[in-house]
Amino acid sequence: MYATQAMAFAAPLAKELDENKVTPGVLGFIVFAVMAGGVWMLMKSMNRHMSMVNFEETPAQTPAASAQSSKPQAESEPTSAASRGE
């Protein structure tokens, strides 16, 4: 059956419908259902992947703290004349 023949058969049926009323029909429902199923599958996958993520951050060292930790212990401590034995 050609598209023109199908339209010829559908034309009398279209006159019976209210011309001011527009409905999505079965095709609209199928498209909506497929989209809803896809969104559900994406949310399920996202939930699975987000459960694998570790959100705990390690504290960042400040530049001053990292510079002091890299110096030898003797240089970082202030020394006085009394502690040197003078």
Side-chain angles (χ1 to χ4, degrees):
M1 177 181 283
Y2 295 110
T4 54
Q5 290 175 340
M7 290 301 292
F9 289 124
L13 295 175
K15 292 295 179 187
E16 296 174 5
L17 295 175
D18 185 13
E19 293 179 2
N20 296 324
K21 183 178 179 184
V22 178
T23 61
V26 176
L27 181 62
F29 174 75
I30 292 171
V31 169
F32 180 78
V34 167
M35 288 175 55
V39 168
W40 179 76
M41 289 173 51
L42 284 171
M43 292 295 288
K44 188 174 179 182
S45 174
M46 185 188 70
N47 191 17
R48 188 177 333 121
H49 282 86
M50 291 298 281
S51 66
M52 292 186 227
V53 175
N54 183 10
F55 287 106
E56 294 180 16
E57 293 185 21
T58 57
Q61 291 184 346
T62 61
S66 63
Q68 285 181 357
S69 64
S70 65
K71 290 182 181 179
Q73 187 68 13
E75 290 180 6
S76 63
E77 290 183 25
T79 56
S80 65
S83 64
R84 286 184 287 182
E86 294 178 7

